[in-house]
Amino acid sequence: MTAQAAELDPNLLAQSVQGELDRLRAAGLHRSRAVLEGRQGAHVVVRGRDFVSFASNDYLGLAADPRLIEAAREAASRYGVGAGASHLLHGHHALHEQLESALAETVGMARALVFSTGYMANLGVVTALCGRDDEVFADKLNHASLNDAMVLSRARFHRYPHGDLDALDRALGRARARTRKLILTDAVFSMDGDLAPLPELVRLCERHGAYLLLDDAHGFGVLGEHGAGTPSHFAVSSERVIYMGTLGKAAGVYGAFVASSAALIDYLVNRARTYVYTTATPPLLAAALLQSLAIIRGEGWRREHLQALIGDLKEGLRAARARLLPSPTAIQPYVLGSAGAALRAAEVLRAHGMIVPAIRPPTVPAGSARLRISLSAGHTLADVERLVSALRKL
Ligand SMILES: *Cc1c(COP(=O)(O)O)cnc(C)c1O
């Protein structure tokens, strides 16, 4: 057998991946999936048992809202289930059009384009805008999808230390003259919950002729006036910003969108490969999302309640042994250090009927394993008090 044939032997492959899995287990880094049996929300059922869940990104408690369910049901009976084709080959539905208009209006930008997922939106935008001759600048704590987008684009890239505007300024200053410069950042960092310094980033864009892809997966619906997201929170409006929001988190459904100028959106329709070469999302999702947007805009009490819960959690854990990172958002990381400590804490909470995911390397830097507490407007004050009391006893 040649060496190459040996490598392709299915038994050898199984052995080598098994070795890799054993190493992950030994390091406390192996992951598996809990199986939800009922609806997603602040309260979930796993193996027939009820839990309070602090694990979802359903920040406004909309994933199982009856109005969204009804909108999806109605659209399914009218229009069917599958879109049946890609957007450019007759899979683009009137409901997609309506949703794009409503999204553009919600975030106050000229146009919006709906993608299947946030992951695909990031890959699509960065690879459409940047190639070998361009330069990309990325915060070290960015979401994996932005990192993958940057690598896939083949652009030269620089990763700057988290939030380090001086380092970013220097890197931008060193960029070659005629390249396109694109900064990538999470607006709300997904594992730390802190905000990117948006006004300063826009100033750097202006100074260096750069553009900013702002990934607002955790800000859209939660922050800003009427849930319009992080730019609204900072009262920043700039043509330098390409906005990306996701629709599977606060919006409670599935998908993502990019909002920008009419020209850029038209360009993405033509050039974003993750838009062009994939089946359109089911129109029934667009119907549910239109309902979700109306609720996001109209029911400010959800954001107010969420803010009140965040305040209660912080207050309750003020004197606790471990610390919450300073986050003003629904993502409240409780840092315990080792992967083992985070796992043990998650197990104790689970025994008390609460689900809080332990986040371990490589998702977060070694030594900063944590419980990632995510709060939702679907939680009650009593839910949060129960969590606080269990965490204080850890
Ligand atoms: C969740 C997330 C994404 C991916 O969005 P999906 O729609 O789930 O693919 C992208 N960026 C950030 C910061 C995220 O948290």
Side-chain angles (χ1 to χ4, degrees), residues 117-119 122 143 145 186 190 215 217-218 244 246 249 255:
T117 69
Y119 197 116
N122 283 338
H143 189 261
S145 58
D186 285 20
S190 55
D215 175 340
H218 302 278
M244 198 288 282
T246 63
K249 290 171 179 160

Side-chain angles (χ1 to χ4, degrees), residues 168-170 172-173 181 203-210 240:
L168 173 58
D169 191 18
R170 284 193 300 274
L172 284 162
K181 298 183 264 296
R203 240 170 277 139
L204 286 182
C205 284
E206 283 160 358
R207 173 161 351 132
H208 294 283
R240 301 250 160 217

Side-chain angles (χ1 to χ4, degrees), residues 163-186:
D164 188 340
L165 293 164
D166 291 334
L168 173 58
D169 191 18
R170 284 193 300 274
L172 284 162
R174 283 193 302 266
R176 287 167 301 188
R178 270 192 298 279
T179 59
R180 183 179 280 159
K181 298 183 264 296
L182 183 65
I183 302 170
L184 312 181
T185 188
D186 285 20

Side-chain angles (χ1 to χ4, degrees), residues 45-394:
V45 178
V46 178
R47 292 208 191 142
R49 224 186 119 192
D50 290 325
F51 289 93
V52 184
S53 168
F54 296 95
S56 89
N57 304 312
D58 178 26
Y59 303 124
L60 298 179
L62 293 178
D65 186 281
R67 293 163 289 178
L68 271 65
I69 295 171
E70 191 44 41
R73 195 200 304 277
E74 218 244 329
S77 12
R78 241 180 228 239
Y79 305 115
V81 177
S86 64
H87 285 279
L88 288 173
L89 296 177
H90 300 279
H92 189 63
H93 194 272
L95 284 170
H96 293 127
E97 281 286 303
Q98 270 185 53
L99 176 60
E100 289 177 352
S101 304
L103 286 165
E105 196 187 317
T106 301
V107 298
M109 311 215 28
R111 276 188 67 188
L113 182 67
V114 172
F115 283 76
S116 299
T117 69
Y119 197 116
M120 290 168 75
N122 283 338
L123 292 191
V125 171
V126 179
T127 58
L129 291 178
C130 298
R132 289 181 200 285
D133 296 331
D134 303 308
E135 301 200 28
V136 171
F137 306 83
D139 189 291
K140 278 231 168 110
L141 293 192
N142 276 350
H143 189 261
S145 58
L146 287 172
N147 293 338
D148 292 355
M150 158 178 103
V151 171
L152 189 62
S153 76
R154 300 189 180 87
R156 272 162 53 108
F157 64 78
H158 315 261
R159 296 178 76 206
Y160 55 91
H162 181 49
D164 188 340
L165 293 164
D166 291 334
L168 173 58
D169 191 18
R170 284 193 300 274
L172 284 162
R174 283 193 302 266
R176 287 167 301 188
R178 270 192 298 279
T179 59
R180 183 179 280 159
K181 298 183 264 296
L182 183 65
I183 302 170
L184 312 181
T185 188
D186 285 20
V188 175
F189 286 86
S190 55
M191 293 301 142
D192 286 29
D194 58 330
L195 303 184
L198 181 57
E200 291 79 6
L201 288 170
V202 168
R203 240 170 277 139
L204 286 182
C205 284
E206 283 160 358
R207 173 161 351 132
H208 294 283
Y211 296 86
L212 174 66
L213 173 57
L214 186 70
D215 175 340
D216 207 12
H218 302 278
F220 178 69
V222 175
L223 298 176
E225 198 173 356
H226 304 300
T230 302
S232 164
H233 171 85
F234 283 112
V236 163
S237 156
S238 164
E239 309 216 318
R240 301 250 160 217
V241 174
I242 301 162
Y243 183 83
M244 198 288 282
T246 63
L247 301 170
K249 290 171 179 160
V253 186
Y254 188 74
F257 69 101
V258 174
S260 181
S261 64
L264 188 87
I265 295 302
D266 193 24
Y267 181 73
L268 293 176
V269 168
N270 284 274
R271 280 286 181 266
R273 297 171 63 84
T274 55
Y275 183 79
V276 174
Y277 297 107
T278 198
T279 301
T281 49
L284 68 91
L285 297 184
L289 281 162
L290 282 162
Q291 184 62 55
S292 170
L293 284 186
I295 296 172
I296 287 174
R297 288 195 271 193
E299 297 187 355
W301 66 264
R302 290 176 186 271
R303 283 178 288 280
E304 285 157 26
H305 180 53
L306 180 59
Q307 282 306 323
L309 296 175
I310 294 168
D312 290 333
L313 181 78
K314 284 179 189 282
E315 185 57 38
L317 291 177
R318 191 176 297 246
R321 225 172 318 145
R323 69 195 167 96
L324 282 174
L325 293 183
S327 152
T329 67
I331 302 167
Q332 294 289 324
Y334 193 60
V335 177
L336 294 165
S338 73
L343 274 184
R344 280 191 301 279
E347 271 161 31
V348 170
L349 292 173
R350 179 171 268 269
H352 285 83
M354 284 171 282
I355 297 178
V356 186
I359 308 289
R360 292 162 275 166
T363 309
V364 293
S368 75
R370 63 197 64 183
L371 293 172
R372 180 182 184 271
I373 302 166
S374 63
L375 296 172
S376 156
H379 287 125
T380 61
L381 181 54
D383 291 333
V384 172
E385 280 171 355
R386 192 167 150 197
L387 175 64
V388 164
S389 125
L391 287 174
R392 280 157 95 170
K393 283 187 215 132
L394 277 182

